[in-house]
Amino acid sequence: MNDDLSWMLDSALEIPGALHAVLISADGLLMARTQDFDKDDADRVAAAMSGVQSLSRTLAFFCEDPSQTWRQTLVEFDGGWVFLISAGEGAYLGVSASPEVDMADITFRMQQLVAQLGKRLTTPPRENLGAHS
């Protein structure tokens, strides 16, 4: 697990009511998790969130335009919320929160994290592949 990414995800937990955060790949693999979240649970959440995102994306036609880009999914439970947003090409950020969380605060923090994560996840292209000195 990338400790720098975990540290970044931990900043989401500064919002009162935020519980856990995970960064996942589009194919459901765990990329990072908040430090207090069990790895086995985080792996299970990553796989499930990949499926939730895929199902959500297929509903674009329901908004009259199937070419629309999926941006986020919000799931409400009796005891809290799950937020899932795009975190760049092929990555998603998920955060769980208690019912008392300020939804504007947590979504704003998630957008800030996505901006920071985008810089970390983007790798510049390698040059001179195959060139010999």
Side-chain angles (χ1 to χ4, degrees), residues 16-133:
L19 301 172
H20 307 289
V22 293
L23 180 66
I24 66 169
S25 66
D27 56 358
L29 297 177
L30 180 66
M31 298 170 70
R33 61 185 163 86
T34 48
Q35 294 179 26
D36 68 337
F37 194 44
D38 179 74
K39 174 149 180 7
D40 290 339
D41 287 341
D43 284 333
R44 193 171 59 169
V45 165
M49 284 190 169
S50 177
V52 166
Q53 188 280 333
S54 180
L55 289 171
S56 298
R57 192 176 61 237
T58 63
L59 289 171
F61 78 93
F62 195 46
C63 293
E64 301 296 326
D65 183 358
S67 66
Q68 293 187 61
T69 302
W70 171 85
R71 296 193 188 281
Q72 69 178 0
T73 299
L74 175 65
V75 181
E76 181 181 11
F77 296 93
D78 290 340
W81 302 92
V82 173
F83 301 83
L84 180 62
I85 66 171
S86 176
E89 189 67 32
Y92 311 117
L93 174 62
V95 174
S96 63
S98 71
E100 297 80 24
V101 74
D102 183 310
M103 293 175 75
D105 285 350
I106 195 69
T107 55
F108 180 73
R109 177 60 59 94
M110 290 176 74
Q111 292 298 330
Q112 288 178 317
L113 271 172
V114 165
Q116 294 171 345
L117 290 167
K119 294 173 188 169
R120 300 289 241 147
L121 297 175
T122 303
T123 304
R126 296 189 299 181
E127 297 179 14
N128 297 326
L129 293 177
H132 299 284
S133 302

